[in-house]
Amino acid sequence: MQSSIGKSLRIFIFLLIMFSMVTINVTAEENLLNSEQEKTFNSENIDSTHPQSSQNENGNIGVNDQLGVTSNINADALFSPRLSAPGTDNAYYYAANPFYQSGYGMPNCTCYAWGRAYELLGGRPNLSTGNANSFWGTNINRGAFASGSSPRLGAIACWGNDYGHVAVVEKIEGNVVTISESSWGGFLFRTSTYTIGSENSRSPGGFQGYIYLGDFSITPPDTNPPTISNIQITDVNAEGFTVRCNVSDNVGVTRVNYATWTDANGQDELNFVDGWLSGGDSSFRVLYSDHKNERGSYKVDIRAYDAAGNCVGPITTGTTVDDIPPTIENVEVIDQSPYGYQIKCKVADNNGINRVQFPTWTSANGQDDINPNWPADGTCSGIIEGDTVTYTVKDSEHRYERGEYITHIYAYDTFGNQKVYEIKQNVINKVNIVSEETLNNHRYILFDDILNWKEAEAKAEEQGGTLVTIASQDEQSLVERLIGVGQRYQYFMGGTDENQEGTFRWVTGDLIGLAKWGSGEPNNSGGSENYLQIGKTGFWNDIPVTSLSSGYIVEIDRDKLQIDSFKTSDNTSPYVNRNIELTAAVTGGVGPIQYKFYYKLGDASTVIQDYSETNTAIFKPATAGTYTLYVDAKDSEGRTATRSIPDYVIQQTINISYETHIQNIGWEEDAGYGWKSNGETSGTSGVGYRLEGIKINLDTQGYDVGVSYQTHIENIGWEADTDRGWKSNGVMSGTEGLGYRLE
């Protein structure tokens, strides 16, 4: 009994001692936890003065904690996947967890992920203590941990939609990832799987990437940044420019970022964009439109990132975008004709011309005939040869309209700068013979002027004939030869069914016999096609009277009187009060032939020279304006013919007057002598007074004549060689009151 009692007593004492040791240990650890709980957390940044803790295998906090874990570690031997929920006695997830301390404990994805990071690192992680959608951005801003798009053991997976979501990678088996996670107001803990690349399809979406807490693999972490080389600026044009470079890295480059801004207004339009990446090549297109279309100096910072999160850069490059527009000079209109006109000019730019566009329209009906795609359409582009550019305006591209045409010349350089120059030009009918042939004593004359059918018939009758009529195959063949020479696609003939629909007659009154109608013609399309035309192919067609796309062919009996030509001696720049010779030539008729010359200005008609056998007359206009000149011819048997020159513009004469400043007299106008002109003497004669200055007035009549003048002054020299410069429009050249003579 005594031995049994003694044995029991010894066991009791041993247990009592062990219980006391356990109690002391737990009490000490509880005090440490309480100390942790009393510390203050900033919701966005971990307090660097807060003592960090390590934890033993039971989840109890020890005193050998490290401060501010901000770098990756190699802890392959320490990593053990968590596949079950932590207990409430695990301080990483509960007592020492800032989310738990703030009333946002599990179930909560942020509380769990933060605690799991604490557990893996053995110290308080430098992660966000805000919502899940702030984990990714906070880590990027702090630069605490590497990050990327590929999963790694122990990495925190981040999703950014709504309040976001975070989870921890526990296993990677092939392309299957196992994560551990918690959910606010939902499950306390669970594991789930997904395949690599499908992260964005998981709720809530907006996958951002993985925050790498450390390299838990056997391989040491990569710390070598990528390299950037062979940086080039290419494809500079009106839209922008391209930055190209080569990149390389031992584990692979994942992205190349380009930060771009201009020197203008600081960095108010700075933007960061990941560029195109394929293999070792990367590029980024800089658009001026993304930078307020500013010109001048552009800067680009290039950064390259690898799969381990290492970065190189910024490496700065850039270029200067030209803001000086091209120049347009020596503009002239050449080859003006009834078909249109050709423009010739000189265009230059310090960085080269990209293109020169010639949008054109007529004054009639606004801009209804302008090409809407003119800025880039090649049909509106001029032909560039060196610094000379030419462009042909065709009336066929403007509904064959007559009258004023407006062309704007747009010169673009390689940077998109532009210069504009305006031209206005009249396109009128010239009544010039394009080609003619003779058959059976009849003349067949082809004109390319644009008229409607009735106007063309009137012109034919004015010349002593009619629009062509065809009564034989020989005539058809002759007409086909004629229109092969012309530049129009169709030509009017003298046939119509306006008096009886479907019954076509020639203007001579004869029924049309021989015909060469096109397929399905005549069809009276629209109910108003009553007039006849022939196309380039030789086939006939009926058209409406309003059609304005055809030339016309005149047939004249050679026995009839006809005015072949009516010309003026000045077709370029006629002015008032100058003699202009008018000349007419006729064929046919029975002599002698008499001629009458007259003109119309407005509604008034004035005879220049009445009927005489002289085929010339002198026209001396006294008034500026737009005239129509006429000549009538008649033969001895009473045959008559008329021809006109329309739109003959007479310009007002530019007048010049002048006065001088005379020694001892002063300005002539002030002395009562007045301004001089037309060769009158300005100054004195035989008195010995010197001239000191001169004024010249130009009555330009609204024209820009570009006249200036200067004098050579005693003791001064030529004015243009001093700051006095050239003078114009009545400004004094010389001196007054100094006695310096003009030399």
Side-chain angles (χ1 to χ4, degrees), residues 185-310:
F187 51 85
L188 178 73
F189 174 88
R190 77 175 183 187
T191 60
S192 60
T193 61
Y194 56 83
T195 58
I196 296 174
S198 67
E199 291 91 340
N200 201 51
S201 64
R202 291 181 61 85
S203 177
F207 180 70
Q208 297 167 306
Y210 295 92
I211 299 174
Y212 304 132
L213 299 178
D215 186 356
F216 296 104
S217 64
I218 298 174
T219 305
D222 173 56
T223 59
N224 296 319
T227 60
I228 300 175
S229 62
N230 193 28
I231 300 173
Q232 299 179 27
I233 303 293
T234 65
D235 303 321
V236 181
N237 58 28
E239 176 193 57
F241 59 90
T242 300
V243 184
R244 302 181 186 277
C245 64
N246 298 130
V247 292
S248 61
D249 187 77
N250 59 321
V251 298
V253 177
T254 57
R255 65 189 181 99
V256 181
N257 185 269
Y258 297 81
T260 309
W261 71 97
T262 69
D263 281 353
N265 305 314
Q267 292 185 337
D268 63 332
E269 30 60 64
L270 171 69
N271 63 9
F272 292 82
V273 180
D274 285 350
W276 172 83
L277 177 63
S278 178
D281 299 323
S282 177
S283 66
F284 174 64
R285 183 71 176 166
V286 177
L287 302 176
Y288 306 140
S289 59
D290 291 336
H291 298 273
K292 302 180 179 180
N293 286 309
E294 291 172 351
R295 297 297 191 268
S297 178
Y298 273 68
K299 297 289 192 304
V300 182
D301 276 355
I302 308 175
R303 295 173 174 86
Y305 299 83
D306 66 12
N310 300 304

Side-chain angles (χ1 to χ4, degrees), residues 668-740:
E668 290 180 292
E669 182 179 28
D670 297 339
Y673 299 123
W675 288 78
K676 310 299 182 185
S677 62
N678 296 328
E680 294 179 309
T681 299
S682 177
T684 59
S685 177
V687 182
Y689 293 160
R690 66 182 60 168
L691 298 183
E692 298 180 71
I694 186 170
K695 295 179 182 178
I696 301 174
N697 269 339
L698 299 176
D699 181 10
T700 63
Q701 303 296 327
Y703 303 113
D704 182 8
V705 296
V707 175
S708 56
Y709 49 90
Q710 65 163 325
T711 55
H712 192 282
I713 307 168
E714 180 184 9
N715 298 331
I716 293 177
W718 287 112
E719 290 180 292
D721 296 335
T722 70
D723 58 4
R724 302 169 66 90
W726 289 85
K727 305 296 189 295
S728 62
N729 296 331
V731 177
M732 179 193 72
S733 177
T735 61
E736 54 181 313
L738 299 179
Y740 293 164

